[in-house]
């Protein structure tokens, strides 16, 4: 039976088993398992069933599915306890699962049944030695663990010894065996003693050791949480030490990952002993929410609590229907997050915060809003926010009023839609106006910031232009406080740039925008001012650089550029978005609409507004700005920005950074500079995480670099393997032609380096896409795909695909050898030469796929380009050497013999020597086969 349908109709388990055996012999494990499974379902005979289970166990072993292999072997052993094949297969599976003692018992039984079997005896000896070594390691590990704790808890031990012991303990905890030894040897109690010392080094060592012990082990993570206590861990994260807060946050993340599916180990019957983690996860969530409004929590601790909520509450995949954690957080924590947003550091009795705290809170508000699934849920979110802000307004308490307005600013920086709706409520705008006129500087500052944030969207800006510009101008003129001055200036910058890059939509008079930008640059370069105030100068430039005159002046101002890049590298990461916006504007890499000339004419005729391009936004001006930015050190700044925490480095910011990188890599001459300054390394995370557009832009920038620079220099070490996936993603048909082309060029470069990279390309399922592009009409894309395939054909998987029937792969390769494009000919002939050398059957198959094969082969070996001629002659040699006598005879009886003779008789020539040598080798092979006789001179 060959038809799959008739196979499905078979009811005989023996037939199913035999089919499974055939597929097993052919190396198709998936098909073999499929037929063995059918046989198991229909088999009633216990002895036959045991054989089938044993066979399926062998398939699972081949597929490295060791738990299934052990399970099937056990079912076979249950029927026949002396089944040596099943016993040995279970032994192999158990060894791979790390259960050496159980594997040893199985092979011991095998050697008892067949005492002369060398394989069993060798395995018995090897496993015995491994078990002894493991026991020895365990005992030595136990003593090492105890010794480390003795040093750490000994007051008299010197500092260097303690540091070494702490580091060793952390390293040991990262290995599962080491973590288990620490846990079993009273490690938790000893680590609690370390925490009790209160010394920073000791606390860090204990927390990092706990993190190692909790990683990837659900049962151990739950035990540690109960033994240490969630409140205790929160109190440690609350201390005013950035390192301790970050280490404790990592511990909480490890616990969360292990309790929510990060544990991939197979427990078997022990699974029932692992308790449900839901209660612990809920307790951790509540504890983190309580930390947000606890005055005893430091700014660092509050940041980490917000970060943990951002990472673990919203769904990572929107296809997942369960968003109960988000709904729970909104019900029990939304007001707490708003309270953080509403804090005014300048007022007394506020929550301790860092410069990043309020932006992280805004990001969390936005993530919670985005995670909602329906209108009733969104209405509830709005109502909670509305209730909180209205509840804070008090005509007799100005502090409460500015808290409400600041909380509103937090919403406007997060879920703008919610904040925008609240700004439109009666009394809110009036309150902002009143605060602007207040005598207290803090009131003015909060109001101006709220005005800036509420004018984010153009529709809202038009309302504020008519009501707020005069207000901001008055504040700017009257105040003597530089902090308020700069904020009101940014408000004016934002309103002045409401027309975007449309030259005809300038809000202010000619020259006003440049004056505003000059003042922003002046503040930016003033290192005497605090970082938070200088940050607002960049906010202003982020809006003003939409004007091409401002862009040109800014990139020419080297001190201002340096100041911005230095701030981008600073600890204050709230600045990232503004810096990214400014760079996107300067490089013109924002999304542009293309208008058909006909539609433009029609719009002008009907007196509709038509956006105009600034003369300085043309390509040559953009290129000059890019050169200035590269000279100013943009790559090192971008490399630092990319490393920021994901909570602050939002997907939108990543997308903008990706766009900037792509703009910088546009000129091939600049790519070496980008690589030399670490740009290639910085691009990889942007290509793997972020928005769909951002990942494509970053992948395209990677393709530009990898296609024109040495990939081993651009992506040193193991990073080169991380580049493959983003490049393969550009091969999708919906991507633009230039993206396809440059990705293929890059993959060609990578495939030419080593086998490991070739295997990685195949694992990323790039082969079908590359094959598809070999059929492409576009000459450049087809050539790039063929060259890439030429570098991949040394892989056995590729060779096997060319042996498959029912497709035109080999036919296409043969026909491409006859194309006029010499580069395409060379690539196709090279691939064919390597394929026919690797698999002799392909030599015969090549003659069956097209009737033109002989003519194409003759054209190759007559080609005037030595490289192409050489490839053709190698194919001829492979065919003569293919063990197909009929094929060899057909070649020699054709004109090919005459061509070989002419080439072989040629005078030695260094430029063509390799061609002459291969032709002579072909003639020698033909003589060896007895197809031609050696030429002899008569005596």
């Amino acid at each position: 039976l060959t038809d799959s349908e008739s196979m499905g109709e078979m009811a005989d388990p023996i037939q199913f088993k035999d089919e499974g055996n055939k597929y097993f012999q052919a190396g198709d494990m998936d098909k073999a398992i499929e037929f063995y499974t059918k046989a198991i379902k229909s088999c009633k005979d216990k002895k036959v069933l045991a054989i089938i289970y044993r066979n399926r166990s062998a398939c699972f072993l081949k597929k490295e599915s060791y738990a299934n292999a052990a399970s099937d072997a056990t079912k076979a052993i249950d029927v026949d306890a002396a089944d040596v094949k099943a016993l040995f297969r279970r032994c192999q599976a158990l060894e791979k699962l790390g259960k050496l003692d159980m594997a040893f018992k199985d092979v011991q039984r095998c050697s008892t049944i067949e005492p002369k079997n060398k394989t069993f005896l060798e395995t018995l000896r090897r496993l015995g030695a491994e078990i002894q070594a493991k026991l020895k390691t365990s005992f030595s590990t136990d003593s090492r663990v105890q010794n480390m704790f003795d040093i750490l808890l000994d007051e008299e031990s010197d500092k260097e010894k303690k540091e070494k012991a702490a580091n060793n303990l952390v390293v040991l905890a990262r290995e599962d065996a080491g973590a288990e030894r620490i846990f079993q040897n009273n490690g938790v109690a000893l680590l609690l003693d370390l925490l009790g010392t209160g010394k920073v080094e000791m606390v860090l060592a204990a927390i990092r050791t706990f993190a190692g012990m909790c990683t990837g082990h659900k049962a151990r993570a739950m035990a540690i949480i109960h033994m240490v206590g969630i409140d205790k861990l929160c109190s440690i994260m609350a201390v005013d030490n950035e390192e301790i807060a970050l280490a404790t946050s990592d511990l909480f993340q490890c616990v969360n990952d292990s309790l929510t599916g990060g544990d991939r180990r197979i427990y078997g019957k022990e699974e029932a002993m692992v308790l449900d983690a839901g209660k612990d996860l809920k307790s951790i969530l509540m504890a983190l929410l309580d930390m947000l409004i606890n005055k005893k929590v430091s700014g660092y601790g509050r940041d980490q609590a917000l970060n943990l909520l951002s990472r673990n509450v919203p769904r990572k995949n929107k296809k997942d229907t369960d968003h109960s954690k988000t709904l729970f957080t909104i019900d029990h924590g939304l007001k707490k997050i708003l309270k953080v947003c509403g804090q005014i550091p300048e007022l007394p009795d506020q929550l301790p915060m860092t410069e990043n705290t309020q932006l992280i809170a805004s990001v969390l508000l936005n993530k919670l809003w985005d995670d909602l699934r329906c209108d009733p849920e969104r209405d509830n979110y709005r109502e909670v926010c509305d209730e909180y802000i209205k509840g804070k307004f008090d005509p007799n308490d100005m502090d409460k009023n500015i808290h409400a307005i600041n909380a509103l600013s937090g919403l406007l920086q997060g879920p703008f839609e919610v904040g925008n709706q609240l700004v439109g409520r009666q009394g809110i705008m009036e309150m902002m106006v009143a605060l602007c006129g207040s005598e207290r500087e803090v009131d003015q500052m909060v109001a101006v910031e709220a005005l800036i944030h509420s004018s984010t969207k153009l529709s809202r800006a038009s309302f504020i232009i008519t009501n707020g510009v005069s207000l901001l101008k008055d504040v700017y003129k009257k105040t003597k406080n530089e902090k308020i001055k700069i904020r009101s200036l940014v408000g004016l910058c934002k309103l002045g740039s409401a027309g975007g890059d449309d030259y005809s939509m300038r809000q202010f008079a000619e020259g006003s925008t440049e004056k505003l930008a000059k003042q922003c640059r002046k503040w930016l370069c003033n290192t005497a001012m605090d970082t938070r105030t200088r940050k607002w100068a960049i906010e202003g430039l982020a809006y003003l650089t939409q004007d091409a005159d401002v862009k040109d002046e800014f990139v020419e101002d080297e001190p201002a550029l340096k100041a911005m890049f230095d701030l981008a590298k600073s600890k204050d990461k709230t600045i990232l978005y503004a810096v990214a916006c400014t760079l996107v504007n300067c490089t013109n890499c924002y999304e542009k609409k293309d208008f058909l000339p006909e539609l433009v004419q029609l719009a002008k005729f009907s007196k509709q507004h038509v956006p105009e391009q600034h003369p300085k936004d043309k390509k040559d001006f953009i290129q000059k700005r890019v050169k200035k930015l590269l000279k100013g050190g943009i790559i090192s700044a971008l490399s630092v920005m990319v490393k920021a925490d994901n909570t602050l480095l939002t997907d939108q910011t990543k997308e903008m950074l990706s766009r900037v990188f792509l703009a910088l890599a546009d000129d091939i001459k600049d790519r070496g500079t980008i690589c030399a300054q670490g740009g290639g390394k910085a691009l990889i995370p942007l290509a793997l995480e972020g928005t769909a557009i951002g990942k494509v832009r970053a992948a395209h920038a990677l393709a530009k670099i990898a296609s024109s620079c040495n990939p081993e220099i651009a992506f040193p070490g193991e990073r080169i393997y991380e580049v493959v996936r983003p490049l393969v993603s550009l091969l999708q048909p919906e991507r633009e032609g230039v993206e396809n082309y440059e990705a293929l060029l890059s993959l060609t470069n990578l495939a030419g380096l080593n086998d490991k990279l070739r295997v990685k390309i195949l694992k990323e399922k790039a082969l079908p896409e590359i094959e598809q592009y070999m059929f492409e009409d576009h000459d450049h894309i087809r050539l790039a795909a063929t060259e890439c395939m030429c570098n991949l054909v040394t892989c056995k998987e590729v060779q096997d695909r060319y042996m498959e029937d029912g497709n035109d792969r080999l036919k296409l390769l043969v026909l491409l050898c006859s194309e006029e494009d010499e580069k395409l000919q060379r690539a196709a002939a090279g691939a064919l030469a390597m394929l026919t050398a690797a698999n002799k059957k392909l030599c015969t198959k090549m003659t069956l796929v097209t009737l033109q094969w002989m003519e194409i082969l003759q054209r190759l070996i007559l080609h005037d380009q030595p490289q192409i001629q050489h490839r053709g002659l190698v194919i001829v040699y492979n065919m003569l050497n293919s063990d197909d006598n009929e094929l060899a005879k057909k070649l020699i009886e054709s004109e090919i013999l005459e061509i070989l003779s002419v080439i072989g008789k040629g005078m030695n020539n260094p430029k063509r020597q390799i061609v002459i040598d291969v032709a002579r080798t072909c003639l020698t092979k033909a003589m060896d086969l007895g197809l031609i006789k050696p030429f002899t001179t008569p005596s």
Side-chain angles (χ1 to χ4, degrees), residues 834-849:
M834 286 188 276
L835 282 170
T836 50
N839 191 327
K840 292 181 178 182
K841 291 179 183 176
L842 282 169
C843 295
T844 308
K845 188 179 178 184
M846 178 185 149
T847 64
L848 305 174
V849 292

Side-chain angles (χ1 to χ4, degrees), residues 285-357:
L285 180 54
M286 280 303 297
L288 291 174
L289 289 171
D290 289 340
M291 282 184 76
L292 299 184
I293 54 168
N294 187 339
K295 286 187 179 177
K296 292 179 181 176
V297 176
S298 69
Y300 299 123
R302 190 165 283 102
D303 282 3
Q304 294 308 328
L306 287 163
N307 278 333
L308 285 165
L309 291 167
S310 275
R311 280 200 293 265
N312 301 307
V313 171
R315 291 167 294 168
K316 288 179 176 66
N317 184 354
K318 291 290 187 279
K319 290 179 183 175
D320 181 6
T321 53
D322 180 20
H323 67 319
S324 54
K325 283 191 285 187
T326 295
L327 298 177
F328 181 87
T329 303
I330 289 168
D331 290 341
H332 296 87
L334 185 53
K335 289 184 178 178
K336 294 174 181 176
I337 303 166
L338 287 168
K339 183 174 180 178
V340 174
C341 288
Q343 297 301 296
I344 317 289
E346 289 78 9
L347 293 180
D349 201 32
Q350 300 294 295
L351 297 173
M353 294 191 302
T354 69
E355 59 269 16
N356 297 325
T357 306

Side-chain angles (χ1 to χ4, degrees), residues 642 680-689 695 698-699 702-703 706 711 714-729 747 750 756-757 760-761 764:
V642 166
K681 173 184 164 186
L683 268 167
I684 295 170
L686 294 176
L688 295 172
E689 292 178 4
K695 287 192 285 188
L702 279 173
F715 316 104
E718 293 298 306
R719 286 195 187 89
I720 196 167
Y721 300 99
E722 296 175 46
V723 178
V724 175
R725 183 172 296 171
L727 294 178
V728 172
S729 71
L747 289 170
L750 293 174
K756 197 174 171 186
L757 273 167
K760 175 70 176 170
I761 292 168
E764 293 296 339

